[in-house]
């Protein structure tokens, strides 16, 4: 096995382990959930349910391993309010434990008019900035983060997320042929690292009879809304 094959195999193993962890933690749920685009999705991923120290610590391990495997280089970690704040902090701690100590910053939703003031907290935003978030749904949070980072004189460089839904984005209420992740990568110019993708979830669901019903529902959803990864805006 050559190096690229070994790396791909390790990436797949990490993604499968993450999907199993998310299901066991109750973070990845199945049923009928309405998305921001108004679609009825048969699954829902809510990183806010990584709600104790053990779960958050293990989640940070997955983020850190995915980042290190990706080879993405960066100078500062940025956690956008609100979910990105604990995620970014946990990832910074785990990376430091692994010997990669990076500065960490986050933003407030509203500017503070006393004390240090402003909307940014933590380390100064300098150089190449890595944005940490759970998913990219419409790309709105990423664009807001990009504006904050550029206003601080730094360079928005990459985004790391837990799950890439590989789902068509919408514009003016209409489906388009690319996903929000495609848009962030191809139009906004940021590298994107995802711990797992919808394809990994489907493979996990299809591996056992226990999840057969969910596999069929998610497969049908992907057939209708899934993105062709070669498509770009």
């Amino acid at each position: 096995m050559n190096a690229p094959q070994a790396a791909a195999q390790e990436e797949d193993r990490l993604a499968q382990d993450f999907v199993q962890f998310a299901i066991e933690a109750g973070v990845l749920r199945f049923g009928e959930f309405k998305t921001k685009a108004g679609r009825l999705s048969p699954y829902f991923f809510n990183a806010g349910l990584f709600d104790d120290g053990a779960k958050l610590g293990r989640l940070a391990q997955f983020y850190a391993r995915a980042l290190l495997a990706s080879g993405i280089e960066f100078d500062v970690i940025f956690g956008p309010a609100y979910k990105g704040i604990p995620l970014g902090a946990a990832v910074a701690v785990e990376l430091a434990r692994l010997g990669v100590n990076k500065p960490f910053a986050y933003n407030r939703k509203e500017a503070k008019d006393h004390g240090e003031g402003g909307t940014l907290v933590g380390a100064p935003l300098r150089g190449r900035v890595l944005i940490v978030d759970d998913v990219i749904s419409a790309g709105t949070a990423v664009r807001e983060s990009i504006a904050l980072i550029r206003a601080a004189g730094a360079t928005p460089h990459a985004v790391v997320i837990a799950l890439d839904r590989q789902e068509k984005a919408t514009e003016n209420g209409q489906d388009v042929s690319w996903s929000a992740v495609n848009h962030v990568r191809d139009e906004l110019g940021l590298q994107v690292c995802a711990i797992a993708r919808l394809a990994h979830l489907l493979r996990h669901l299809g591996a056992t009879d226990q999840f057969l019903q969910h596999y069929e529902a998610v497969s049908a959803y992907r057939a209708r809304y899934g993105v062709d990864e070669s498509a770009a805006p």
Side-chain angles (χ1 to χ4, degrees):
M1 184 183 298
N2 58 35
Q5 288 174 328
Q9 190 176 75
E10 177 58 27
E11 177 188 346
D12 186 68
R13 185 182 302 113
L14 180 70
Q16 293 296 331
D17 287 348
F18 175 72
V19 169
Q20 182 174 345
F21 166 56
I23 292 173
E24 291 174 349
V27 172
L28 190 52
R29 298 183 175 186
F30 303 98
E32 191 171 83
F33 307 93
K34 193 170 185 178
T35 70
K36 287 183 179 179
R39 300 167 183 160
L40 291 179
S41 172
Y43 74 99
F44 180 61
F45 180 86
N46 182 2
L49 296 176
F50 289 115
D51 55 6
D52 63 35
K55 292 174 190 172
L56 191 58
R58 192 168 178 208
L59 174 63
Q61 291 174 2
F62 281 107
Y63 270 103
R65 288 171 61 191
L67 270 172
L68 295 176
S70 74
I72 293 173
E73 297 183 356
F74 57 92
D75 302 302
V76 181
I77 296 168
F78 178 73
Y82 290 103
K83 285 184 181 178
I85 297 175
L87 293 177
V91 172
V93 170
E94 177 61 18
L95 285 172
R97 189 186 71 81
L98 296 174
V100 183
N101 189 26
K102 298 289 185 179
F104 169 64
Y106 62 93
N107 69 299
R108 301 185 181 95
K109 287 286 190 179
E110 297 179 359
K112 188 177 177 183
D113 61 4
H114 59 282
E116 73 276 17
T119 60
L120 294 174
V121 183
L125 292 178
R126 295 172 181 167
R128 300 162 298 181
V129 179
L130 170 74
I131 301 167
V132 181
D133 217 336
D134 56 348
V135 296
I136 299 176
S137 297
T140 306
V142 173
R143 285 191 290 271
E144 290 174 352
S145 296
I146 287 173
L148 284 168
I149 292 164
R150 286 179 175 161
T155 302
H157 181 65
V159 184
V160 60
I161 56 175
L163 180 68
D164 177 1
R165 291 179 61 99
Q166 296 182 289
E167 183 174 325
K168 291 177 181 178
T170 59
E171 288 193 359
N172 300 318
Q174 300 296 316
D175 293 347
V176 292
S177 60
W178 59 86
S179 71
V181 168
N182 290 146
H183 179 75
V184 168
R185 183 187 64 222
D186 301 327
E187 290 296 297
L188 303 184
L190 276 66
Q191 297 183 62
V192 179
C193 172
I195 302 172
R197 300 186 298 278
L198 179 57
H200 295 117
L201 170 58
L202 274 169
R203 197 177 313 157
H204 185 85
L205 296 178
T208 62
D209 292 339
Q210 175 188 359
F211 295 118
L212 182 59
Q213 179 182 356
H214 302 315
Y215 171 79
E216 292 175 347
V218 176
S219 292
Y221 186 81
R222 188 183 187 189
R224 183 171 181 181
Y225 296 116
V227 72
D228 176 358
E229 289 298 340
S230 65

